[in-house]
Amino acid sequence: MSEIPPISLPTASEEDLVRRLQARDESALTLFYDRYAPALFGVISRIVKADEVAEDVLQEALVKIWNSFPAYDPGKGRLFTWVLNISRNLAIDKIRSRQHRVGTRTQGLDDSLAAQRMPAPDSFRPEHIGLQEIVKTLVPEQRQIIDLLYFGGYTQSEVAEELKLPLGTVKTRARTAIKLLSKLIR
C-alpha cells in the first residue's frame, strides 16, 4: 500500500479528506474533527439543550462516523451532510430515550433540599387543597391517567406507553377526567 501524503487543514479538499478517511488514516480524523466538530456540536446542542449531553452525543457520533465510514458514498451526498445526519439522529435518539426524559424531569438534590428548608407561609393549608381527594372520585381508568399526567409528570405519550394503551384512548380519558374535575371544583 502506498503512503498517503499528509494534508493540512486549510488546503485539504473534501475529496482528499474522504480518501484518507476511507483509507482509515487516523491523522485525517484529527483534520475531520477540526473542520466539522464545532458545527456538529452546535447542531447537537440545539437539540439536546445541555452542553454536557451534547459533548457525549458528539463523541458517540464521531465513533459512529469512524466505524461507519466505509459505508459513506460521496456520490450520494457531501460528507458534511452525511455526518450531520448521523449526529442529528443520535441527538434525537438521546432526547427520546427514557433515561434522558427521566433525568430532565428529576430535580437536583441541592435544589430539592433548599426547597425543603424553606418554611411554608402561615396562610398555606395543604388540607384545604384537596385536589388529590377530588381526583379519587374519578373512575380508576381516569384516575390512573390523571395521576401519571399531573402528579407523575408524564407526557400523554409516556402514559400510553406505560399503560399499554393507544394514545387516543389516553387523550380521551384525560379530557373526560379534566371536564369532570372542573365541574367538581366549581
Side-chain angles (χ1 to χ4, degrees), residues 32-97:
F32 172 85
Y33 181 86
D34 291 341
R35 184 178 286 178
Y36 296 114
L40 297 176
F41 180 79
V43 169
I44 293 168
S45 64
R46 279 193 299 271
I47 294 170
V48 299
K49 310 256 189 289
D51 286 348
E52 308 83 40
V53 177
E55 290 169 2
D56 290 343
V57 172
L58 177 61
Q59 182 177 357
E60 188 179 332
L62 292 171
V63 169
K64 184 169 186 169
I65 290 164
W66 176 253
N67 291 333
S68 303
F69 209 84
Y72 170 66
D73 180 4
K76 291 185 178 179
R78 295 196 51 211
L79 176 62
F80 182 72
T81 305
W82 184 70
V83 299
L84 182 67
N85 283 331
I86 289 173
S87 302
R88 184 180 54 81
N89 290 341
L90 285 172
I92 291 169
D93 290 346
K94 180 58 131 180
I95 62 171
R96 287 181 178 167
S97 73

Side-chain angles (χ1 to χ4, degrees), residues 159-183:
V159 170
E161 185 180 309
E162 180 79 20
L163 300 178
K164 311 269 189 282
L165 293 172
L167 181 59
T169 302
V170 170
K171 289 181 176 186
T172 301
R173 288 181 184 172
R175 191 177 321 110
T176 305
I178 291 169
K179 284 181 183 177
L180 210 106
L181 288 172
S182 68
K183 288 178 185 175

Side-chain angles (χ1 to χ4, degrees), residues 19 83 113 126:
R19 181 177 47 78
V83 299
L113 291 174

Side-chain angles (χ1 to χ4, degrees), residues 7-14 16 31 34-35:
I7 54 177
S8 64
L9 185 61
T11 61
S13 69
E14 186 173 292
D16 291 334
L31 296 173
D34 291 341
R35 184 178 286 178

